[in-house]
Amino acid sequence: QLQASGGGLVQTGGSLRISCAASGLTLDYYAIGWFRQAPGKEREGVSVISFSDGSTYYSESVKGRFTIYRDNGKNTVYLQMNSLKPEDTAVYFCAAGPPFMVTGNPEGFDYWGQGTLVTVSS
């Protein structure tokens, strides 16, 4: 089970950190991804990290602004979001997939959390 948390309301240019805590899953054997879905839009990949080798993926729209990192001891993945823009507003979901699935494509990610809402005001 994956539990996403930390969403909220932030102004343009602000920062927010969201968390994905796992229970019943040992994240050492997975890639963990953050995906987001805005109203009326398809779900898109934001960032992914593989626990096996630490390799990462970032979408072009967040590269340089967002950082994904893991805390093995807490079995948790974080997404630090800086320089937030109104277009970052969405529900953010975390998901677990095979360790080689370091891609923004949500297909193949088997376990999904419930989502946390991030709203960036202009």
Side-chain angles (χ1 to χ4, degrees):
Q1 183 177 2
L2 299 174
Q3 181 76 32
S5 62
L9 175 64
V10 64
Q11 291 185 334
T12 296
S15 297
L16 203 60
R17 187 184 76 167
I18 54 179
S19 305
C20 177
S23 59
L25 291 176
T26 302
L27 296 186
D28 289 356
Y29 306 116
Y30 293 92
I32 303 298
W34 284 101
F35 301 83
R36 66 187 182 187
Q37 189 164 18
K41 295 189 176 181
E42 292 186 354
R43 190 169 297 188
E44 64 170 337
V46 176
S47 185
V48 178
I49 186 167
S50 173
F51 268 63
S52 63
D53 62 4
S55 57
T56 58
Y57 160 86
Y58 293 95
S59 70
E60 287 300 319
S61 63
V62 307
K63 199 172 290 185
R65 300 188 296 124
F66 292 9
T67 302
I68 190 170
Y69 62 100
R70 60 196 182 186
D71 185 328
N72 292 37
K74 294 183 178 180
N75 219 29
T76 299
V77 173
Y78 302 94
L79 185 69
Q80 177 67 44
M81 304 183 291
N82 298 329
S83 302
L84 283 161
K85 305 175 181 180
E87 51 264 44
D88 294 318
T89 295
V91 177
Y92 284 70
F93 300 88
C94 61
F100 55 83
M101 192 69 71
V102 187
T103 170
N105 187 346
E107 293 185 14
F109 283 82
D110 302 313
Y111 305 98
W112 289 82
Q114 86 289 1
T116 186
L117 176 62
V118 173
T119 304
V120 185
S121 63
S122 57

